[in-house]
Amino acid sequence: MSAASAHLEHLPRSLQLTLGLGVAALALFPFLGLENTDYYLQMLTQMMILAIFAMSLDLLQGVTGLVSLGHAAYFGLAGYALAFLTPESGAVSLWWSLPLAAAGAGLAALLIGFFVVRTHGIYFIMVTMAFAQMVFFLFFDNKALGGSDGIYVYFKPSTALGGLNGGAELLDLENKVTFFYCTLVLLLGVYAFLRRLLFSPFGRALSGIRVNEHRMRAMGYGTLWYKLSAFTLAGTLAGVAGYLWAAQTGFVNPELMGFHLSAHAIMMVILGGMGNFAGAIVGAFAFEYLMHVFKDLTKHWQLLMGGFIVLVVIFAPRGLLGLGQSLTERLGRRRPVAAPAHDVNAGEQHG
């Protein structure tokens, strides 16, 4: 299978319907009245945050064809930004801290991307990992930045609008259900934005770079600047996810910038299917769910997870969504097609 055909940009109606039902089920989950609802709400919220992170990487890996092993750096930087912006005496405003944290992550991606997008293939992978490790050890070895112990975020961001509405909170983010729905809205918003971007002229240019960058350059496209723009935007969206992670967990440490989280994001994108963003969401949920299942089975859960990823790559190279499309197409071909009525009547007349 070619690199181009390994990407599933257009989702069939059956998969769209299935994904829509999944979103509806997610939205209704808090009303199911299950035992340990708070625990499951926290787990699902983390899955949605990681889905946003995986979609940001899919913009690079699935759409543009740039595999980054340092994408977690921007995730962690935004989390640290929230930690530093939050005072010990109270909450920081969501309305300016989220854009500022995301912009900080995007600026870091712009500076790093200026150097790394000039490389290709394995060199791009290694340089992105090298820069991420530099950021990791900057925080790990520096006590002023929290060191290896990390930093606590004691308050979730405030949604008050200053003097408007008497200074009351518009949304109580300390409430797990409220935070769950806020994260769900952001997840759907990021997905809608990226799907619109995918079929815009900018997105088509990124897809062309993935398929044949030399031809795109010959056609007059400044591929370097397109890749740098995609790299910066992906870092900004990773920052949104990192901000939400820090707000939800109340803690950040250098591990959020480490190689392992970047590798997990790559596996999420591969597992769900590259190039359509819905696959990144499915991959994030599937990866996190399987990780919890395998951890309950054995302490060597990485072996089981690695084996499962290998099987997906071999037998479903377009990921779980691609596998779903293939099964749908096979079922569609097996359905008997009824003969048109006029053909039947014509046969009876000839008889």
Side-chain angles (χ1 to χ4, degrees), residues 185-210:
V185 169
L186 278 173
L187 171 69
L188 296 178
V190 170
Y191 172 75
F193 168 73
L194 288 176
R195 286 294 292 181
R196 180 67 184 87
L197 183 74
L198 178 61
F199 295 103
S200 69
F202 177 74
R204 295 294 83 200
L206 295 182
S207 297
I209 291 172
R210 184 193 75 242

PDB file of all heavy atoms in Angstrom, residues 185-210:
ATOM      1  N   VAL A 185     -16.381  19.991  24.388  1.00  0.00           N
ATOM      2  CA  VAL A 185     -16.622  21.090  23.447  1.00  0.00           C
ATOM      3  C   VAL A 185     -15.329  21.482  22.741  1.00  0.00           C
ATOM      4  O   VAL A 185     -15.302  21.701  21.518  1.00  0.00           O
ATOM      5  CB  VAL A 185     -17.242  22.298  24.182  1.00  0.00           C
ATOM      6  CG1 VAL A 185     -17.249  23.531  23.274  1.00  0.00           C
ATOM      7  CG2 VAL A 185     -18.655  21.980  24.629  1.00  0.00           C
ATOM      8  N   LEU A 186     -14.232  21.580  23.486  1.00  0.00           N
ATOM      9  CA  LEU A 186     -12.947  21.913  22.873  1.00  0.00           C
ATOM     10  C   LEU A 186     -12.496  20.815  21.912  1.00  0.00           C
ATOM     11  O   LEU A 186     -11.948  21.106  20.837  1.00  0.00           O
ATOM     12  CB  LEU A 186     -11.892  22.132  23.952  1.00  0.00           C
ATOM     13  CG  LEU A 186     -11.876  23.513  24.607  1.00  0.00           C
ATOM     14  CD1 LEU A 186     -10.890  23.543  25.769  1.00  0.00           C
ATOM     15  CD2 LEU A 186     -11.514  24.587  23.592  1.00  0.00           C
ATOM     16  N   LEU A 187     -12.712  19.564  22.275  1.00  0.00           N
ATOM     17  CA  LEU A 187     -12.358  18.449  21.399  1.00  0.00           C
ATOM     18  C   LEU A 187     -13.087  18.559  20.065  1.00  0.00           C
ATOM     19  O   LEU A 187     -12.477  18.452  18.995  1.00  0.00           O
ATOM     20  CB  LEU A 187     -12.702  17.126  22.089  1.00  0.00           C
ATOM     21  CG  LEU A 187     -12.588  15.857  21.231  1.00  0.00           C
ATOM     22  CD1 LEU A 187     -11.133  15.561  20.893  1.00  0.00           C
ATOM     23  CD2 LEU A 187     -13.207  14.655  21.955  1.00  0.00           C
ATOM     24  N   LEU A 188     -14.398  18.780  20.116  1.00  0.00           N
ATOM     25  CA  LEU A 188     -15.187  18.890  18.886  1.00  0.00           C
ATOM     26  C   LEU A 188     -14.800  20.135  18.100  1.00  0.00           C
ATOM     27  O   LEU A 188     -14.775  20.118  16.859  1.00  0.00           O
ATOM     28  CB  LEU A 188     -16.676  18.913  19.227  1.00  0.00           C
ATOM     29  CG  LEU A 188     -17.230  17.642  19.882  1.00  0.00           C
ATOM     30  CD1 LEU A 188     -18.705  17.809  20.227  1.00  0.00           C
ATOM     31  CD2 LEU A 188     -17.041  16.430  18.974  1.00  0.00           C
ATOM     32  N   GLY A 189     -14.498  21.230  18.814  1.00  0.00           N
ATOM     33  CA  GLY A 189     -14.083  22.448  18.134  1.00  0.00           C
ATOM     34  C   GLY A 189     -12.768  22.282  17.393  1.00  0.00           C
ATOM     35  O   GLY A 189     -12.631  22.714  16.240  1.00  0.00           O
ATOM     36  N   VAL A 190     -11.781  21.642  18.036  1.00  0.00           N
ATOM     37  CA  VAL A 190     -10.492  21.400  17.390  1.00  0.00           C
ATOM     38  C   VAL A 190     -10.664  20.471  16.200  1.00  0.00           C
ATOM     39  O   VAL A 190     -10.073  20.688  15.128  1.00  0.00           O
ATOM     40  CB  VAL A 190      -9.482  20.822  18.397  1.00  0.00           C
ATOM     41  CG1 VAL A 190      -8.206  20.344  17.690  1.00  0.00           C
ATOM     42  CG2 VAL A 190      -9.134  21.860  19.448  1.00  0.00           C
ATOM     43  N   TYR A 191     -11.509  19.450  16.343  1.00  0.00           N
ATOM     44  CA  TYR A 191     -11.743  18.514  15.237  1.00  0.00           C
ATOM     45  C   TYR A 191     -12.374  19.237  14.046  1.00  0.00           C
ATOM     46  O   TYR A 191     -11.939  19.064  12.899  1.00  0.00           O
ATOM     47  CB  TYR A 191     -12.644  17.372  15.695  1.00  0.00           C
ATOM     48  CG  TYR A 191     -13.079  16.465  14.563  1.00  0.00           C
ATOM     49  CD1 TYR A 191     -12.181  15.551  14.002  1.00  0.00           C
ATOM     50  CD2 TYR A 191     -14.366  16.532  14.044  1.00  0.00           C
ATOM     51  CE1 TYR A 191     -12.564  14.731  12.953  1.00  0.00           C
ATOM     52  CE2 TYR A 191     -14.748  15.718  12.990  1.00  0.00           C
ATOM     53  CZ  TYR A 191     -13.849  14.817  12.452  1.00  0.00           C
ATOM     54  OH  TYR A 191     -14.235  14.021  11.401  1.00  0.00           O
ATOM     55  N   ALA A 192     -13.421  20.049  14.300  1.00  0.00           N
ATOM     56  CA  ALA A 192     -14.090  20.775  13.220  1.00  0.00           C
ATOM     57  C   ALA A 192     -13.116  21.734  12.528  1.00  0.00           C
ATOM     58  O   ALA A 192     -13.112  21.853  11.292  1.00  0.00           O
ATOM     59  CB  ALA A 192     -15.296  21.531  13.772  1.00  0.00           C
ATOM     60  N   PHE A 193     -12.292  22.406  13.316  1.00  0.00           N
ATOM     61  CA  PHE A 193     -11.308  23.333  12.746  1.00  0.00           C
ATOM     62  C   PHE A 193     -10.315  22.593  11.846  1.00  0.00           C
ATOM     63  O   PHE A 193     -10.016  23.044  10.720  1.00  0.00           O
ATOM     64  CB  PHE A 193     -10.578  24.061  13.875  1.00  0.00           C
ATOM     65  CG  PHE A 193      -9.355  24.813  13.430  1.00  0.00           C
ATOM     66  CD1 PHE A 193      -9.470  25.992  12.709  1.00  0.00           C
ATOM     67  CD2 PHE A 193      -8.081  24.342  13.728  1.00  0.00           C
ATOM     68  CE1 PHE A 193      -8.341  26.682  12.288  1.00  0.00           C
ATOM     69  CE2 PHE A 193      -6.957  25.024  13.317  1.00  0.00           C
ATOM     70  CZ  PHE A 193      -7.084  26.202  12.593  1.00  0.00           C
ATOM     71  N   LEU A 194      -9.798  21.471  12.317  1.00  0.00           N
ATOM     72  CA  LEU A 194      -8.791  20.745  11.549  1.00  0.00           C
ATOM     73  C   LEU A 194      -9.392  20.095  10.308  1.00  0.00           C
ATOM     74  O   LEU A 194      -8.731  20.021   9.260  1.00  0.00           O
ATOM     75  CB  LEU A 194      -8.117  19.687  12.437  1.00  0.00           C
ATOM     76  CG  LEU A 194      -7.176  20.247  13.502  1.00  0.00           C
ATOM     77  CD1 LEU A 194      -6.645  19.134  14.393  1.00  0.00           C
ATOM     78  CD2 LEU A 194      -6.007  20.992  12.856  1.00  0.00           C
ATOM     79  N   ARG A 195     -10.641  19.616  10.395  1.00  0.00           N
ATOM     80  CA  ARG A 195     -11.281  19.054   9.204  1.00  0.00           C
ATOM     81  C   ARG A 195     -11.492  20.140   8.154  1.00  0.00           C
ATOM     82  O   ARG A 195     -11.318  19.902   6.951  1.00  0.00           O
ATOM     83  CB  ARG A 195     -12.619  18.417   9.573  1.00  0.00           C
ATOM     84  CG  ARG A 195     -12.508  17.098  10.297  1.00  0.00           C
ATOM     85  CD  ARG A 195     -11.915  16.004   9.439  1.00  0.00           C
ATOM     86  NE  ARG A 195     -12.782  15.610   8.336  1.00  0.00           N
ATOM     87  CZ  ARG A 195     -12.476  14.647   7.454  1.00  0.00           C
ATOM     88  NH1 ARG A 195     -11.312  14.014   7.564  1.00  0.00           N
ATOM     89  NH2 ARG A 195     -13.295  14.331   6.490  1.00  0.00           N
ATOM     90  N   ARG A 196     -11.879  21.338   8.600  1.00  0.00           N
ATOM     91  CA  ARG A 196     -12.034  22.450   7.652  1.00  0.00           C
ATOM     92  C   ARG A 196     -10.688  22.816   7.057  1.00  0.00           C
ATOM     93  O   ARG A 196     -10.585  23.107   5.859  1.00  0.00           O
ATOM     94  CB  ARG A 196     -12.653  23.643   8.385  1.00  0.00           C
ATOM     95  CG  ARG A 196     -12.852  24.877   7.487  1.00  0.00           C
ATOM     96  CD  ARG A 196     -13.902  24.608   6.433  1.00  0.00           C
ATOM     97  NE  ARG A 196     -14.027  25.727   5.512  1.00  0.00           N
ATOM     98  CZ  ARG A 196     -13.302  25.894   4.420  1.00  0.00           C
ATOM     99  NH1 ARG A 196     -12.354  25.007   4.106  1.00  0.00           N
ATOM    100  NH2 ARG A 196     -13.505  26.920   3.623  1.00  0.00           N
ATOM    101  N   LEU A 197      -9.659  22.805   7.877  1.00  0.00           N
ATOM    102  CA  LEU A 197      -8.318  23.132   7.405  1.00  0.00           C
ATOM    103  C   LEU A 197      -7.820  22.095   6.396  1.00  0.00           C
ATOM    104  O   LEU A 197      -7.154  22.446   5.417  1.00  0.00           O
ATOM    105  CB  LEU A 197      -7.365  23.192   8.601  1.00  0.00           C
ATOM    106  CG  LEU A 197      -5.916  23.591   8.293  1.00  0.00           C
ATOM    107  CD1 LEU A 197      -5.831  25.086   7.989  1.00  0.00           C
ATOM    108  CD2 LEU A 197      -5.006  23.240   9.466  1.00  0.00           C
ATOM    109  N   LEU A 198      -8.166  20.839   6.615  1.00  0.00           N
ATOM    110  CA  LEU A 198      -7.693  19.757   5.749  1.00  0.00           C
ATOM    111  C   LEU A 198      -8.120  19.956   4.310  1.00  0.00           C
ATOM    112  O   LEU A 198      -7.361  19.662   3.376  1.00  0.00           O
ATOM    113  CB  LEU A 198      -8.206  18.407   6.280  1.00  0.00           C
ATOM    114  CG  LEU A 198      -7.848  17.162   5.471  1.00  0.00           C
ATOM    115  CD1 LEU A 198      -6.341  16.966   5.391  1.00  0.00           C
ATOM    116  CD2 LEU A 198      -8.509  15.927   6.073  1.00  0.00           C
ATOM    117  N   PHE A 199      -9.330  20.464   4.087  1.00  0.00           N
ATOM    118  CA  PHE A 199      -9.850  20.613   2.732  1.00  0.00           C
ATOM    119  C   PHE A 199      -9.772  22.056   2.238  1.00  0.00           C
ATOM    120  O   PHE A 199     -10.393  22.406   1.237  1.00  0.00           O
ATOM    121  CB  PHE A 199     -11.286  20.093   2.667  1.00  0.00           C
ATOM    122  CG  PHE A 199     -11.380  18.624   2.929  1.00  0.00           C
ATOM    123  CD1 PHE A 199     -11.817  18.146   4.151  1.00  0.00           C
ATOM    124  CD2 PHE A 199     -10.991  17.701   1.971  1.00  0.00           C
ATOM    125  CE1 PHE A 199     -11.880  16.785   4.410  1.00  0.00           C
ATOM    126  CE2 PHE A 199     -11.043  16.339   2.214  1.00  0.00           C
ATOM    127  CZ  PHE A 199     -11.493  15.872   3.440  1.00  0.00           C
ATOM    128  N   SER A 200      -9.017  22.892   2.949  1.00  0.00           N
ATOM    129  CA  SER A 200      -8.733  24.243   2.483  1.00  0.00           C
ATOM    130  C   SER A 200      -7.520  24.203   1.549  1.00  0.00           C
ATOM    131  O   SER A 200      -6.808  23.188   1.483  1.00  0.00           O
ATOM    132  CB  SER A 200      -8.444  25.147   3.686  1.00  0.00           C
ATOM    133  OG  SER A 200      -7.213  24.783   4.292  1.00  0.00           O
ATOM    134  N   PRO A 201      -7.248  25.277   0.807  1.00  0.00           N
ATOM    135  CA  PRO A 201      -6.041  25.293  -0.032  1.00  0.00           C
ATOM    136  C   PRO A 201      -4.757  25.028   0.760  1.00  0.00           C
ATOM    137  O   PRO A 201      -3.846  24.355   0.261  1.00  0.00           O
ATOM    138  CB  PRO A 201      -6.050  26.715  -0.614  1.00  0.00           C
ATOM    139  CG  PRO A 201      -7.501  27.098  -0.641  1.00  0.00           C
ATOM    140  CD  PRO A 201      -8.096  26.455   0.581  1.00  0.00           C
ATOM    141  N   PHE A 202      -4.705  25.534   1.986  1.00  0.00           N
ATOM    142  CA  PHE A 202      -3.530  25.280   2.828  1.00  0.00           C
ATOM    143  C   PHE A 202      -3.402  23.795   3.143  1.00  0.00           C
ATOM    144  O   PHE A 202      -2.313  23.209   3.038  1.00  0.00           O
ATOM    145  CB  PHE A 202      -3.654  26.087   4.125  1.00  0.00           C
ATOM    146  CG  PHE A 202      -2.539  25.845   5.108  1.00  0.00           C
ATOM    147  CD1 PHE A 202      -1.271  26.357   4.899  1.00  0.00           C
ATOM    148  CD2 PHE A 202      -2.762  25.092   6.252  1.00  0.00           C
ATOM    149  CE1 PHE A 202      -0.240  26.137   5.802  1.00  0.00           C
ATOM    150  CE2 PHE A 202      -1.746  24.866   7.166  1.00  0.00           C
ATOM    151  CZ  PHE A 202      -0.481  25.387   6.940  1.00  0.00           C
ATOM    152  N   GLY A 203      -4.521  23.157   3.508  1.00  0.00           N
ATOM    153  CA  GLY A 203      -4.491  21.734   3.809  1.00  0.00           C
ATOM    154  C   GLY A 203      -4.162  20.883   2.604  1.00  0.00           C
ATOM    155  O   GLY A 203      -3.435  19.881   2.705  1.00  0.00           O
ATOM    156  N   ARG A 204      -4.676  21.288   1.423  1.00  0.00           N
ATOM    157  CA  ARG A 204      -4.353  20.544   0.207  1.00  0.00           C
ATOM    158  C   ARG A 204      -2.868  20.646  -0.117  1.00  0.00           C
ATOM    159  O   ARG A 204      -2.257  19.688  -0.618  1.00  0.00           O
ATOM    160  CB  ARG A 204      -5.172  21.085  -0.970  1.00  0.00           C
ATOM    161  CG  ARG A 204      -6.685  20.884  -0.857  1.00  0.00           C
ATOM    162  CD  ARG A 204      -7.075  19.417  -0.892  1.00  0.00           C
ATOM    163  NE  ARG A 204      -6.962  18.773   0.408  1.00  0.00           N
ATOM    164  CZ  ARG A 204      -6.871  17.469   0.589  1.00  0.00           C
ATOM    165  NH1 ARG A 204      -6.843  16.646  -0.449  1.00  0.00           N
ATOM    166  NH2 ARG A 204      -6.798  16.955   1.783  1.00  0.00           N
ATOM    167  N   ALA A 205      -2.286  21.819   0.166  1.00  0.00           N
ATOM    168  CA  ALA A 205      -0.852  21.971  -0.064  1.00  0.00           C
ATOM    169  C   ALA A 205      -0.045  21.077   0.873  1.00  0.00           C
ATOM    170  O   ALA A 205       0.948  20.457   0.458  1.00  0.00           O
ATOM    171  CB  ALA A 205      -0.446  23.443   0.126  1.00  0.00           C
ATOM    172  N   LEU A 206      -0.487  20.975   2.133  1.00  0.00           N
ATOM    173  CA  LEU A 206       0.211  20.097   3.082  1.00  0.00           C
ATOM    174  C   LEU A 206       0.126  18.640   2.630  1.00  0.00           C
ATOM    175  O   LEU A 206       1.106  17.893   2.719  1.00  0.00           O
ATOM    176  CB  LEU A 206      -0.393  20.249   4.478  1.00  0.00           C
ATOM    177  CG  LEU A 206      -0.232  21.608   5.153  1.00  0.00           C
ATOM    178  CD1 LEU A 206      -0.850  21.579   6.551  1.00  0.00           C
ATOM    179  CD2 LEU A 206       1.230  22.025   5.244  1.00  0.00           C
ATOM    180  N   SER A 207      -1.048  18.233   2.143  1.00  0.00           N
ATOM    181  CA  SER A 207      -1.191  16.862   1.648  1.00  0.00           C
ATOM    182  C   SER A 207      -0.298  16.624   0.436  1.00  0.00           C
ATOM    183  O   SER A 207       0.285  15.541   0.282  1.00  0.00           O
ATOM    184  CB  SER A 207      -2.652  16.584   1.292  1.00  0.00           C
ATOM    185  OG  SER A 207      -3.479  16.670   2.441  1.00  0.00           O
ATOM    186  N   GLY A 208      -0.192  17.641  -0.427  1.00  0.00           N
ATOM    187  CA  GLY A 208       0.696  17.510  -1.584  1.00  0.00           C
ATOM    188  C   GLY A 208       2.141  17.379  -1.173  1.00  0.00           C
ATOM    189  O   GLY A 208       2.911  16.622  -1.784  1.00  0.00           O
ATOM    190  N   ILE A 209       2.543  18.083  -0.124  1.00  0.00           N
ATOM    191  CA  ILE A 209       3.914  17.966   0.386  1.00  0.00           C
ATOM    192  C   ILE A 209       4.165  16.550   0.891  1.00  0.00           C
ATOM    193  O   ILE A 209       5.243  15.984   0.683  1.00  0.00           O
ATOM    194  CB  ILE A 209       4.150  19.004   1.496  1.00  0.00           C
ATOM    195  CG1 ILE A 209       4.176  20.413   0.905  1.00  0.00           C
ATOM    196  CG2 ILE A 209       5.455  18.715   2.244  1.00  0.00           C
ATOM    197  CD1 ILE A 209       4.212  21.514   1.937  1.00  0.00           C
ATOM    198  N   ARG A 210       3.170  15.968   1.551  1.00  0.00           N
ATOM    199  CA  ARG A 210       3.333  14.603   2.043  1.00  0.00           C
ATOM    200  C   ARG A 210       3.522  13.616   0.889  1.00  0.00           C
ATOM    201  O   ARG A 210       4.375  12.722   0.945  1.00  0.00           O
ATOM    202  CB  ARG A 210       2.111  14.187   2.859  1.00  0.00           C
ATOM    203  CG  ARG A 210       2.242  12.799   3.494  1.00  0.00           C
ATOM    204  CD  ARG A 210       0.928  12.281   4.035  1.00  0.00           C
ATOM    205  NE  ARG A 210       0.036  11.843   2.986  1.00  0.00           N
ATOM    206  CZ  ARG A 210      -1.155  12.364   2.727  1.00  0.00           C
ATOM    207  NH1 ARG A 210      -1.603  13.398   3.429  1.00  0.00           N
ATOM    208  NH2 ARG A 210      -1.899  11.882   1.755  1.00  0.00           N
TER     209      ARG A 210
END
